[in-house]
Amino acid sequence: MFRVIENFFTVQELMTLKLFSAKCLNMSKYVAEENYNYIHEKILEQVEDFIGNKETLGVEQWAFHSELTQLPDLHQDRDEELFDKTGTLSFPMCSCVAYLSVENLKGANLEIGEDAVSPKTGMLILIAPGVWHKVSEYVSGKRHSLNYNFWNKPLYNLSLIHI
């Protein structure tokens, strides 16, 4: 259902990811498989161990910062546009949450089913397809994450572009 990997990222990787996350704060940025960087590849090694596959077409990425954005309520990661247009559910092969910085955090835990994970700087969480999850109520402190949905099938809006 999910896997937690503590201390997954190096200090240098966290600094790089923090800089990148400004480009996708509260908005999805899609990266095609041929444009993956070393961090995508590093995460995909863990995805393969978790779900038995790492063959993808691309990844959606977006960032949350507890002081700047509203954290998500109960949801399943899915192809939102496909669902909005057709009512069809399509899930990424794996969703991932990378915690870039966590300081003096109260609340804002990742809740997956009956489990709650307290975020820690450098932690990576892998979530299986279709799993319901949410972030508990944020009280105070800092929580900065970069989220990834790895796709092994085309997204609805991208498939429209290639027609």
Side-chain angles (χ1 to χ4, degrees):
M1 184 166 163
F2 73 96
R3 178 177 292 171
V4 176
I5 306 168
E6 294 193 31
N7 302 310
F8 182 73
F9 298 100
T10 67
V11 171
Q12 183 61 43
E13 288 168 343
L14 290 170
M15 289 173 45
T16 300
L17 290 170
K18 283 180 192 178
L19 291 173
F20 171 79
S21 72
K23 297 177 185 177
C24 57
L25 185 63
N26 258 359
M27 71 173 98
S28 178
K29 177 177 171 60
Y30 185 84
V31 176
E33 183 269 336
E34 60 269 13
N35 296 318
Y36 285 173
N37 60 36
Y38 74 98
I39 292 184
H40 294 120
E41 297 296 339
K42 180 177 178 176
I43 294 171
L44 277 171
E45 293 299 320
Q46 296 302 314
V47 168
E48 181 177 36
D49 186 57
F50 179 55
I51 65 166
N53 182 20
K54 71 173 192 172
E55 299 302 317
T56 65
L57 296 177
V59 62
E60 290 177 288
Q61 305 170 132
W62 67 99
F64 288 113
H65 196 296
S66 56
E67 297 170 337
L68 304 173
T69 58
Q70 183 174 343
L71 298 170
D73 289 329
L74 187 64
H75 69 284
Q76 295 169 298
D77 292 331
R78 62 186 182 201
D79 186 333
E80 292 294 340
E81 193 163 345
L82 177 65
F83 184 77
D84 291 345
K85 302 280 186 198
T86 70
T88 303
L89 286 172
S90 179
F91 302 116
M93 61 185 268
C94 189
S95 300
C96 306
V97 181
Y99 291 103
L100 310 182
S101 182
V102 178
E103 298 173 20
N104 303 316
L105 188 64
K106 292 183 182 171
N109 293 319
L110 181 61
E111 295 182 0
I112 306 169
E114 298 295 318
D115 297 307
V117 179
S118 298
K120 295 179 185 160
T121 300
M123 179 184 281
L124 178 70
I125 300 178
L126 308 172
I127 304 171
V131 172
W132 289 93
H133 56 284
K134 72 176 187 171
V135 177
S136 66
E137 183 179 351
Y138 166 76
V139 178
S140 64
K142 182 174 163 183
R143 178 193 182 277
H144 185 181
S145 67
L146 187 56
N147 302 272
Y148 300 90
N149 281 348
F150 285 97
W151 291 91
N152 58 357
K153 52 193 162 199
L155 290 167
Y156 180 80
N157 60 354
L158 294 177
S159 63
L160 291 179
I161 293 169
H162 299 295
I163 291 177

